[in-house]
Coordinates of all heavy atoms in Angstrom, one line a residue:
M277 N 7.0 3.5 13.9 CA 5.7 3.2 13.6 C 5.5 1.7 13.6 O 6.3 0.9 13.2 CB 5.4 3.8 12.2 CG 4.0 3.6 11.7 SD 3.5 4.6 10.2 CE 4.8 4.1 9.0
R278 N 4.4 1.3 14.2 CA 4.0 -0.1 14.3 C 2.9 -0.5 13.3 O 1.9 0.2 13.2 CB 3.6 -0.5 15.7 CG 4.6 -0.1 16.8 CD 5.7 -1.0 17.0 NE 5.3 -2.3 17.4 CZ 6.2 -3.3 17.4 NH1 7.4 -3.2 17.1 NH2 5.7 -4.5 17.8
I279 N 3.1 -1.5 12.5 CA 2.1 -1.9 11.5 C 1.5 -3.3 11.9 O 2.2 -4.2 12.2 CB 2.8 -2.0 10.1 CG1 3.3 -0.6 9.8 CG2 1.8 -2.6 9.1 CD1 4.1 -0.6 8.5
P280 N 0.2 -3.3 12.0 CA -0.5 -4.6 12.4 C -0.6 -5.5 11.2 O -1.6 -5.5 10.4 CB -1.9 -4.1 12.8 CG -2.2 -2.9 12.0 CD -0.8 -2.2 11.8
C281 N 0.3 -6.4 11.0 CA 0.3 -7.4 9.9 C -0.9 -8.4 10.3 O -0.9 -9.0 11.4 CB 1.6 -8.2 9.8 SG 1.6 -9.5 8.6
P282 N -1.8 -8.6 9.4 CA -2.9 -9.5 9.6 C -2.4 -11.0 9.9 O -3.1 -11.8 10.5 CB -3.8 -9.5 8.4 CG -3.4 -8.2 7.7 CD -2.0 -8.0 8.1
Y283 N -1.3 -11.3 9.4 CA -0.7 -12.7 9.5 C 0.2 -12.8 10.7 O 0.1 -13.8 11.4 CB 0.0 -13.1 8.2 CG 0.3 -14.5 8.1 CD1 -0.7 -15.4 7.7 CD2 1.6 -15.0 8.3 CE1 -0.4 -16.8 7.6 CE2 1.9 -16.4 8.2 CZ 0.9 -17.2 7.9 OH 1.1 -18.6 7.8
C284 N 1.1 -11.9 10.9 CA 2.1 -12.0 11.9 C 1.8 -11.2 13.2 O 2.5 -11.4 14.2 CB 3.5 -11.5 11.4 SG 4.0 -12.4 9.9
G285 N 0.9 -10.3 13.2 CA 0.6 -9.4 14.3 C 1.4 -8.1 14.2 O 1.9 -7.8 13.1
E286 N 1.4 -7.3 15.2 CA 2.0 -6.0 15.1 C 3.5 -6.1 15.0 O 4.1 -6.8 15.8 CB 1.6 -5.2 16.4 CG 1.9 -3.7 16.3 CD 1.3 -2.9 17.4 OE1 0.1 -2.7 17.4 OE2 2.1 -2.5 18.3
R287 N 4.1 -5.3 14.1 CA 5.5 -5.4 13.8 C 6.0 -3.9 13.6 O 5.3 -3.1 13.2 CB 5.9 -6.2 12.6 CG 5.4 -7.6 12.6 CD 6.2 -8.4 13.6 NE 5.8 -9.8 13.5 CZ 6.0 -10.7 14.4 NH1 6.5 -10.4 15.5 NH2 5.6 -12.0 14.2
G288 N 7.3 -3.7 13.7 CA 7.9 -2.4 13.4 C 8.0 -2.2 11.9 O 8.1 -3.1 11.1
S289 N 7.9 -0.9 11.5 CA 7.8 -0.6 10.1 C 9.1 -0.9 9.4 O 9.1 -1.0 8.2 CB 7.5 0.9 9.9 OG 8.5 1.7 10.5
H290 N 10.2 -1.1 10.1 CA 11.5 -1.5 9.5 C 11.4 -2.9 8.8 O 12.3 -3.2 8.0 CB 12.6 -1.4 10.5 CG 12.5 -2.5 11.6 ND1 11.7 -2.3 12.7 CD2 13.1 -3.7 11.7 CE1 11.8 -3.3 13.5 NE2 12.6 -4.2 12.9
E291 N 10.4 -3.7 9.2 CA 10.3 -5.0 8.5 C 9.5 -4.9 7.2 O 9.5 -5.9 6.5 CB 9.4 -5.9 9.5 CG 10.2 -6.3 10.7 CD 9.4 -7.4 11.5 OE1 8.4 -8.0 11.0 OE2 9.8 -7.7 12.6
F292 N 9.0 -3.8 6.8 CA 8.1 -3.6 5.7 C 8.8 -2.7 4.6 O 9.6 -1.9 4.9 CB 6.8 -3.0 6.1 CG 6.0 -3.8 7.0 CD1 6.2 -3.8 8.4 CD2 5.0 -4.6 6.5 CE1 5.4 -4.6 9.2 CE2 4.2 -5.4 7.3 CZ 4.4 -5.4 8.7
V293 N 8.3 -2.9 3.4 CA 8.7 -2.0 2.3 C 7.3 -1.5 1.7 O 6.4 -2.2 1.5 CB 9.4 -2.8 1.1 CG1 9.7 -1.9 0.0 CG2 10.7 -3.4 1.7
T294 N 7.3 -0.1 1.5 CA 6.0 0.4 1.0 C 6.1 0.7 -0.5 O 7.1 1.0 -1.0 CB 5.7 1.8 1.8 OG1 4.5 2.3 1.3 CG2 6.8 2.8 1.5
R295 N 4.9 0.5 -1.1 CA 4.8 0.7 -2.5 C 3.9 2.0 -2.8 O 3.9 2.4 -3.9 CB 4.1 -0.5 -3.2 CG 4.2 -0.4 -4.7 CD 3.4 -1.5 -5.4 NE 2.4 -0.9 -6.2 CZ 1.2 -1.5 -6.4 NH1 0.9 -2.6 -6.0 NH2 0.4 -0.8 -7.1
G296 N 3.3 2.5 -1.8 CA 2.5 3.7 -1.9 C 1.0 3.5 -2.0 O 0.5 2.4 -1.6
D297 N 0.3 4.4 -2.6 CA -1.2 4.5 -2.7 C -1.7 3.2 -3.3 O -1.3 2.8 -4.4 CB -1.6 5.7 -3.5 CG -3.0 5.9 -3.5 OD1 -3.8 5.2 -3.0 OD2 -3.4 7.0 -4.1
A298 N -2.7 2.6 -2.6 CA -3.3 1.3 -3.1 C -4.5 1.6 -4.0 O -5.1 0.7 -4.5 CB -3.7 0.5 -1.9
G299 N -4.8 2.9 -4.3 CA -6.0 3.2 -5.0 C -5.9 3.1 -6.5 O -6.8 2.5 -7.1
P300 N -4.9 3.6 -7.2 CA -4.9 3.6 -8.6 C -4.9 2.1 -9.2 O -4.2 1.2 -8.7 CB -3.5 4.2 -9.0 CG -3.2 5.0 -7.8 CD -3.7 4.3 -6.6
A301 N -5.7 2.0 -10.2 CA -5.8 0.7 -10.9 C -5.2 0.9 -12.3 O -5.3 1.9 -13.0 CB -7.2 0.3 -11.1
R302 N -4.5 -0.1 -12.8 CA -3.9 -0.1 -14.2 C -5.0 0.2 -15.2 O -6.0 -0.5 -15.2 CB -3.2 -1.4 -14.4 CG -2.4 -1.4 -15.7 CD -1.7 -2.8 -15.9 NE -0.9 -2.7 -17.0 CZ 0.4 -3.0 -17.0 NH1 1.0 -3.4 -16.0 NH2 1.1 -2.9 -18.1
P303 N -4.8 1.1 -16.1 CA -5.8 1.5 -17.1 C -6.0 0.4 -18.1 O -5.1 -0.3 -18.5 CB -5.2 2.8 -17.7 CG -3.8 2.6 -17.6 CD -3.5 1.9 -16.3
D304 N -7.3 0.3 -18.5 CA -7.7 -0.6 -19.6 C -7.2 -0.1 -21.0 O -6.9 -0.8 -21.9 CB -9.2 -0.8 -19.7 CG -9.6 -1.6 -18.4 OD1 -8.9 -2.4 -17.9 OD2 -10.8 -1.4 -18.0
D305 N -7.1 1.3 -21.0 CA -6.7 2.0 -22.2 C -5.2 1.7 -22.5 O -4.4 1.9 -21.6 CB -7.0 3.5 -22.0 CG -6.7 4.3 -23.3 OD1 -6.2 3.7 -24.3 OD2 -6.9 5.5 -23.2
D306 N -4.8 1.3 -23.7 CA -3.4 1.0 -24.0 C -2.7 2.3 -24.4 O -1.5 2.2 -24.8 CB -3.3 0.0 -25.1 CG -3.7 -1.4 -24.6 OD1 -3.6 -1.6 -23.3 OD2 -4.0 -2.3 -25.4
S307 N -3.3 3.4 -24.3 CA -2.6 4.6 -24.8 C -1.4 5.0 -23.9 O -1.4 4.7 -22.7 CB -3.6 5.8 -24.9 OG -3.9 6.3 -23.6
E308 N -0.5 5.7 -24.5 CA 0.7 6.1 -23.8 C 0.3 7.2 -22.7 O 0.9 7.2 -21.6 CB 1.7 6.8 -24.8 CG 3.1 6.6 -24.4 CD 4.1 7.0 -25.5 OE1 4.2 6.3 -26.5 OE2 4.6 8.1 -25.4
E309 N -0.6 8.0 -23.0 CA -1.0 9.1 -22.1 C -1.7 8.5 -20.8 O -1.4 8.9 -19.7 CB -2.0 10.0 -22.7 CG -1.4 10.9 -23.9 CD -1.4 10.1 -25.2 OE1 -2.1 9.1 -25.4 OE2 -0.5 10.5 -26.0
A310 N -2.5 7.4 -21.0 CA -3.2 6.8 -19.9 C -2.2 6.1 -19.0 O -2.3 6.2 -17.8 CB -4.3 5.8 -20.4
F311 N -1.2 5.4 -19.6 CA -0.2 4.7 -18.8 C 0.7 5.7 -18.1 O 1.1 5.4 -16.9 CB 0.6 3.7 -19.7 CG 1.3 2.7 -18.9 CD1 0.5 1.7 -18.2 CD2 2.6 2.6 -18.8 CE1 1.2 0.7 -17.5 CE2 3.3 1.6 -18.1 CZ 2.6 0.7 -17.4
H312 N 1.0 6.8 -18.7 CA 1.9 7.8 -18.1 C 1.1 8.4 -16.9 O 1.7 8.5 -15.8 CB 2.2 8.9 -19.1 CG 2.9 10.1 -18.5 ND1 2.3 11.1 -17.9 CD2 4.3 10.3 -18.4 CE1 3.3 12.0 -17.5 NE2 4.4 11.5 -17.7
A313 N -0.1 8.7 -17.0 CA -0.9 9.2 -15.9 C -1.0 8.2 -14.8 O -0.8 8.6 -13.6 CB -2.3 9.5 -16.4
Y314 N -1.1 6.9 -15.1 CA -1.2 5.8 -14.1 C 0.1 5.8 -13.3 O 0.1 5.6 -12.1 CB -1.5 4.5 -14.7 CG -1.3 3.3 -13.9 CD1 -2.1 3.0 -12.8 CD2 -0.2 2.4 -14.2 CE1 -1.8 1.9 -12.0 CE2 0.0 1.3 -13.4 CZ -0.8 1.0 -12.3 OH -0.6 -0.1 -11.6
L315 N 1.3 5.9 -14.0 CA 2.6 5.7 -13.3 C 3.0 6.9 -12.6 O 3.6 6.8 -11.5 CB 3.6 5.4 -14.4 CG 3.6 4.0 -15.0 CD1 4.7 3.8 -16.0 CD2 3.8 2.9 -13.9
Y316 N 2.8 8.1 -13.1 CA 3.4 9.3 -12.6 C 2.5 10.4 -12.0 O 3.0 11.2 -11.2 CB 4.3 10.0 -13.7 CG 5.3 9.1 -14.3 CD1 5.3 8.5 -15.5 CD2 6.4 8.7 -13.5 CE1 6.2 7.7 -16.0 CE2 7.4 7.8 -13.9 CZ 7.3 7.3 -15.2 OH 8.3 6.5 -15.7
L317 N 1.3 10.5 -12.4 CA 0.4 11.5 -11.9 C -0.4 11.1 -10.7 O -1.4 10.5 -10.9 CB -0.5 12.0 -13.1 CG 0.2 12.5 -14.3 CD1 -0.8 13.0 -15.4 CD2 1.3 13.6 -14.0
R318 N 0.1 11.4 -9.5 CA -0.5 10.9 -8.3 C -0.9 12.1 -7.4 O -0.2 13.1 -7.4 CB 0.4 10.0 -7.5 CG 0.9 8.8 -8.2 CD -0.3 7.8 -8.4 NE 0.1 6.6 -9.2 CZ 0.3 5.5 -8.7 NH1 0.3 5.2 -7.4 NH2 0.6 4.5 -9.5
D319 N -2.0 12.0 -6.7 CA -2.4 13.0 -5.7 C -1.5 12.8 -4.5 O -1.0 11.7 -4.3 CB -3.9 12.9 -5.4 CG -4.8 13.2 -6.5 OD1 -4.3 14.1 -7.4 OD2 -5.9 12.7 -6.6
N320 N -1.4 13.8 -3.7 CA -0.7 13.7 -2.4 C -1.7 14.1 -1.3 O -1.6 15.2 -0.8 CB 0.5 14.5 -2.4 CG 1.4 14.3 -1.2 OD1 1.2 13.3 -0.5 ND2 2.4 15.2 -1.0
P321 N -2.7 13.2 -1.0 CA -3.8 13.6 -0.1 C -3.3 13.8 1.4 O -2.4 13.2 1.8 CB -4.8 12.5 -0.2 CG -4.0 11.3 -0.5 CD -2.8 11.8 -1.4
K322 N -4.0 14.6 2.0 CA -3.8 14.9 3.5 C -4.9 14.1 4.2 O -6.1 14.3 3.9 CB -3.9 16.4 3.7 CG -3.6 16.8 5.1 CD -3.7 18.3 5.2 CE -3.0 18.8 6.4 NZ -3.1 20.3 6.4
G323 N -4.6 13.2 5.1 CA -5.6 12.4 5.8 C -5.5 10.9 5.6 O -4.4 10.4 5.3
L324 N -6.6 10.2 5.6 CA -6.6 8.8 5.6 C -6.3 8.3 4.1 O -6.8 8.8 3.2 CB -7.9 8.2 6.0 CG -8.0 6.8 6.4 CD1 -7.1 6.5 7.5 CD2 -9.4 6.4 6.8
L325 N -5.3 7.4 4.0 CA -4.9 6.8 2.7 C -4.7 5.3 2.9 O -4.2 4.8 3.9 CB -3.6 7.5 2.3 CG -3.0 7.1 1.0 CD1 -3.9 7.5 -0.2 CD2 -1.6 7.7 0.8
R326 N -5.1 4.6 1.8 CA -4.9 3.1 1.8 C -3.6 2.9 1.0 O -3.4 3.4 -0.1 CB -6.0 2.4 1.1 CG -7.3 2.5 1.9 CD -8.5 1.9 1.1 NE -8.4 0.5 1.2 CZ -8.4 -0.3 0.1 NH1 -8.5 0.2 -1.1 NH2 -8.2 -1.6 0.2
E327 N -2.6 2.2 1.6 CA -1.3 2.0 1.0 C -0.9 0.5 0.9 O -1.3 -0.2 1.8 CB -0.2 2.7 1.8 CG -0.4 4.2 2.0 CD 0.6 4.8 2.9 OE1 0.8 4.2 4.0 OE2 1.2 5.8 2.6
H328 N -0.2 0.2 -0.1 CA 0.4 -1.2 -0.2 C 1.7 -1.3 0.6 O 2.6 -0.4 0.4 CB 0.7 -1.6 -1.6 CG -0.5 -2.0 -2.4 ND1 -0.9 -1.4 -3.6 CD2 -1.4 -3.0 -2.1 CE1 -2.0 -2.0 -4.0 NE2 -2.4 -3.0 -3.2
W329 N 1.8 -2.3 1.4 CA 3.1 -2.5 2.2 C 3.4 -4.0 2.0 O 2.5 -4.8 2.0 CB 2.9 -2.2 3.7 CG 2.8 -0.7 4.0 CD1 1.7 0.1 3.7 CD2 3.8 0.1 4.6 NE1 2.0 1.3 4.2 CE2 3.3 1.4 4.7 CE3 5.1 -0.2 5.1 CZ2 4.0 2.4 5.3 CZ3 5.8 0.8 5.7 CH2 5.2 2.1 5.8
Y330 N 4.7 -4.3 1.8 CA 5.2 -5.7 1.7 C 5.9 -6.1 2.9 O 6.9 -5.4 3.4 CB 6.1 -5.8 0.5 CG 6.7 -7.1 0.2 CD1 5.8 -8.2 -0.1 CD2 8.0 -7.3 0.3 CE1 6.4 -9.5 -0.3 CE2 8.6 -8.6 0.1 CZ 7.7 -9.7 -0.2 OH 8.2 -10.9 -0.4
H331 N 5.6 -7.1 3.6 CA 6.2 -7.6 4.8 C 7.5 -8.4 4.4 O 7.5 -9.6 4.5 CB 5.2 -8.4 5.7 CG 5.7 -8.5 7.1 ND1 4.9 -9.1 8.0 CD2 6.8 -8.1 7.7 CE1 5.6 -9.1 9.2 NE2 6.7 -8.5 9.0
A332 N 8.5 -7.7 4.0 CA 9.7 -8.3 3.5 C 10.5 -9.1 4.6 O 11.1 -10.2 4.3 CB 10.7 -7.3 3.0
Q333 N 10.5 -8.7 5.8 CA 11.2 -9.4 6.9 C 10.3 -10.2 7.8 O 10.6 -10.5 8.9 CB 11.9 -8.3 7.8 CG 12.9 -7.5 7.0 CD 14.0 -8.3 6.3 OE1 14.6 -9.2 6.9 NE2 14.2 -7.9 5.1
G334 N 9.2 -10.7 7.2 CA 8.2 -11.5 7.9 C 7.6 -12.5 7.1 O 8.2 -13.3 6.4
C335 N 6.3 -12.4 6.9 CA 5.5 -13.4 6.2 C 5.5 -13.3 4.7 O 5.1 -14.1 4.0 CB 4.0 -13.4 6.7 SG 3.2 -11.8 6.3
R336 N 6.1 -12.2 4.2 CA 6.3 -11.9 2.8 C 5.0 -11.7 2.0 O 4.9 -12.1 0.9 CB 7.2 -13.0 2.1 CG 8.5 -13.1 2.8 CD 9.4 -14.1 2.2 NE 9.9 -13.6 0.9 CZ 11.2 -13.4 0.6 NH1 12.1 -13.8 1.5 NH2 11.5 -13.0 -0.5
N337 N 4.0 -11.2 2.7 CA 2.7 -10.9 2.1 C 2.6 -9.5 1.9 O 3.1 -8.6 2.6 CB 1.5 -11.3 3.1 CG 1.2 -12.8 3.1 OD1 1.0 -13.3 2.0 ND2 1.3 -13.4 4.2
W338 N 1.8 -9.1 0.8 CA 1.4 -7.7 0.6 C 0.2 -7.5 1.4 O -0.7 -8.3 1.5 CB 1.0 -7.5 -0.9 CG 2.2 -7.4 -1.8 CD1 2.8 -8.4 -2.5 CD2 3.0 -6.2 -2.0 NE1 3.9 -7.8 -3.2 CE2 4.1 -6.5 -2.9 CE3 2.9 -4.9 -1.5 CZ2 5.0 -5.6 -3.3 CZ3 3.9 -4.0 -1.9 CH2 4.9 -4.3 -2.8
I339 N 0.2 -6.3 2.1 CA -1.0 -5.9 2.9 C -1.4 -4.5 2.5 O -0.6 -3.7 1.9 CB -0.7 -6.0 4.4 CG1 0.4 -5.0 4.8 CG2 -0.4 -7.4 4.8 CD1 0.6 -5.0 6.3
V340 N -2.7 -4.2 2.7 CA -3.2 -2.8 2.5 C -3.3 -2.2 3.9 O -4.1 -2.7 4.7 CB -4.5 -2.8 1.7 CG1 -5.1 -1.4 1.7 CG2 -4.3 -3.4 0.4
V341 N -2.6 -1.1 4.1 CA -2.6 -0.4 5.4 C -3.4 0.9 5.3 O -3.1 1.6 4.3 CB -1.2 -0.1 5.9 CG1 -1.2 0.7 7.2 CG2 -0.4 -1.4 6.1
E342 N -4.3 1.2 6.2 CA -5.0 2.4 6.2 C -4.2 3.3 7.2 O -4.2 3.0 8.4 CB -6.4 2.3 6.6 CG -7.3 1.6 5.6 CD -8.7 1.5 5.9 OE1 -9.2 2.4 6.7 OE2 -9.4 0.6 5.4
R343 N -3.6 4.4 6.7 CA -2.7 5.3 7.5 C -3.1 6.7 7.3 O -3.4 7.1 6.2 CB -1.3 5.0 7.1 CG -0.3 5.8 7.8 CD 1.2 5.5 7.4 NE 1.4 6.0 6.0 CZ 1.8 7.3 5.7 NH1 2.0 8.1 6.7 NH2 2.0 7.6 4.5
D344 N -3.1 7.5 8.4 CA -3.3 8.9 8.3 C -2.0 9.6 7.9 O -0.9 9.4 8.6 CB -3.7 9.4 9.7 CG -4.2 10.9 9.6 OD1 -3.4 11.7 9.1 OD2 -5.3 11.2 10.1
T345 N -1.9 10.3 6.8 CA -0.7 10.9 6.3 C -0.2 12.1 7.1 O 0.9 12.5 7.0 CB -0.9 11.3 4.8 OG1 -1.9 12.3 4.7 CG2 -1.2 10.1 3.9
V346 N -1.1 12.6 8.0 CA -0.7 13.7 8.8 C -0.1 13.2 10.1 O 1.0 13.6 10.5 CB -1.9 14.6 9.1 CG1 -1.5 15.7 10.1 CG2 -2.5 15.2 7.8
S347 N -0.8 12.3 10.8 CA -0.3 11.9 12.1 C 0.5 10.5 12.1 O 1.1 10.2 13.0 CB -1.5 11.7 13.1 OG -2.3 10.7 12.6
H348 N 0.4 9.9 10.9 CA 1.0 8.5 10.7 C 0.3 7.4 11.6 O 0.9 6.4 11.7 CB 2.5 8.5 11.0 CG 3.2 9.4 10.0 ND1 3.3 9.1 8.7 CD2 3.9 10.6 10.2 CE1 4.0 10.1 8.1 NE2 4.3 11.0 9.0
D349 N -0.9 7.7 12.1 CA -1.6 6.7 12.9 C -2.1 5.7 11.9 O -2.6 6.0 10.8 CB -2.8 7.4 13.6 CG -2.4 8.2 14.8 OD1 -1.3 8.1 15.3 OD2 -3.2 9.1 15.1
I350 N -2.0 4.4 12.3 CA -2.5 3.3 11.5 C -3.9 3.0 12.0 O -4.2 2.8 13.2 CB -1.6 2.0 11.7 CG1 -0.1 2.4 11.4 CG2 -2.1 0.9 10.9 CD1 0.1 2.6 10.0
H351 N -4.9 2.9 11.0 CA -6.3 2.6 11.3 C -6.7 1.2 11.0 O -7.9 0.9 11.0 CB -7.1 3.6 10.6 CG -6.9 5.0 11.1 ND1 -7.6 5.5 12.2 CD2 -6.1 6.0 10.7 CE1 -7.2 6.8 12.4 NE2 -6.3 7.1 11.5
G352 N -5.8 0.4 10.5 CA -6.1 -1.0 10.2 C -5.3 -1.5 9.0 O -4.6 -0.8 8.3
A353 N -5.3 -2.8 8.9 CA -4.5 -3.5 7.8 C -5.2 -4.8 7.4 O -5.8 -5.5 8.2 CB -3.1 -3.8 8.3
T354 N -5.2 -5.1 6.1 CA -5.8 -6.3 5.5 C -4.8 -6.9 4.5 O -4.1 -6.2 3.9 CB -7.1 -5.8 4.7 OG1 -7.9 -5.0 5.6 CG2 -7.9 -7.0 4.3
L355 N -4.9 -8.2 4.4 CA -4.1 -8.8 3.4 C -4.5 -8.3 2.0 O -5.8 -8.2 1.8 CB -4.2 -10.3 3.4 CG -3.6 -11.1 4.6 CD1 -4.0 -12.5 4.6 CD2 -2.1 -10.9 4.5
A356 N -3.6 -7.9 1.1 CA -4.0 -7.3 -0.1 C -4.9 -8.2 -1.0 O -5.8 -7.7 -1.6 CB -2.7 -6.9 -0.9
K357 N -4.7 -9.5 -1.0 CA -5.5 -10.4 -1.8 C -6.9 -10.4 -1.3 O -7.9 -10.7 -2.0 CB -4.9 -11.8 -1.8 CG -4.8 -12.5 -0.5 CD -4.1 -13.8 -0.6 CE -3.8 -14.4 0.8 NZ -2.9 -15.5 0.7
E358 N -7.2 -10.1 0.0 CA -8.5 -10.0 0.5 C -9.1 -8.6 0.4 O -10.3 -8.5 0.3 CB -8.5 -10.4 2.0 CG -8.2 -11.8 2.2 CD -8.0 -12.2 3.7 OE1 -8.2 -11.3 4.6 OE2 -7.7 -13.3 4.0
A359 N -8.3 -7.6 0.3 CA -8.8 -6.2 0.2 C -9.4 -6.0 -1.2 O -10.2 -5.0 -1.3 CB -7.6 -5.3 0.4
R360 N -9.0 -6.7 -2.2 CA -9.6 -6.5 -3.5 C -11.0 -7.0 -3.7 O -11.7 -6.6 -4.6 CB -8.7 -7.3 -4.6 CG -7.4 -6.6 -4.8 CD -6.7 -7.3 -5.9 NE -5.4 -7.8 -5.4 CZ -4.7 -8.8 -5.9 NH1 -5.1 -9.4 -7.0 NH2 -3.6 -9.1 -5.3
R361 N -11.5 -7.8 -2.8 CA -12.8 -8.4 -2.9 C -13.9 -7.4 -2.5 O -13.8 -6.4 -1.9 CB -12.9 -9.6 -2.0 CG -12.0 -10.7 -2.4 CD -12.1 -11.8 -1.5 NE -11.1 -12.8 -1.9 CZ -10.7 -13.8 -1.2 NH1 -11.3 -14.0 0.0 NH2 -9.8 -14.6 -1.6

């Protein structure tokens, strides 16, 4: 799989480390139940998903990759610090 790093260009996936779904946000609620749900209760969607990837063997930036979980086709990538805006 080839990942289009916004900083370095297209690279092989072996240069990256994935963190998973970029959607969940840390809860404002300090309860144990809310934090447990944030850490462990995740959906496993079929189709387009936004994921965090770290370019460990390159520019060392976090990026958000839009990837199809069925075909593994990459539909785009953005630096994570810009994706939050």
Side-chain angles (χ1 to χ4, degrees):
M277 183 167 54
R278 306 283 294 171
I279 298 175
C281 176
Y283 193 78
C284 301
E286 191 172 286
R287 304 289 189 200
S289 61
H290 66 278
E291 291 187 10
F292 296 84
V293 177
T294 183
R295 192 185 117 209
D297 189 355
R302 188 179 184 125
D304 293 330
D305 183 0
D306 287 339
S307 74
E308 214 171 284
E309 294 81 19
F311 199 66
H312 177 271
Y314 165 70
L315 287 178
Y316 299 111
L317 305 180
R318 301 290 174 102
D319 293 331
N320 189 13
K322 186 179 199 181
L324 198 59
L325 181 66
R326 295 176 73 235
E327 300 172 314
H328 280 124
W329 288 73
Y330 179 64
H331 198 176
Q333 301 300 316
C335 62
R336 303 178 76 120
N337 279 304
W338 281 98
I339 63 174
V340 174
V341 176
E342 291 186 24
R343 181 179 68 87
D344 188 311
T345 60
V346 176
S347 65
H348 298 292
D349 290 338
I350 304 292
H351 294 274
T354 310
L355 289 172
K357 61 186 172 189
E358 294 173 1
R360 287 186 239 160
R361 295 179 188 166

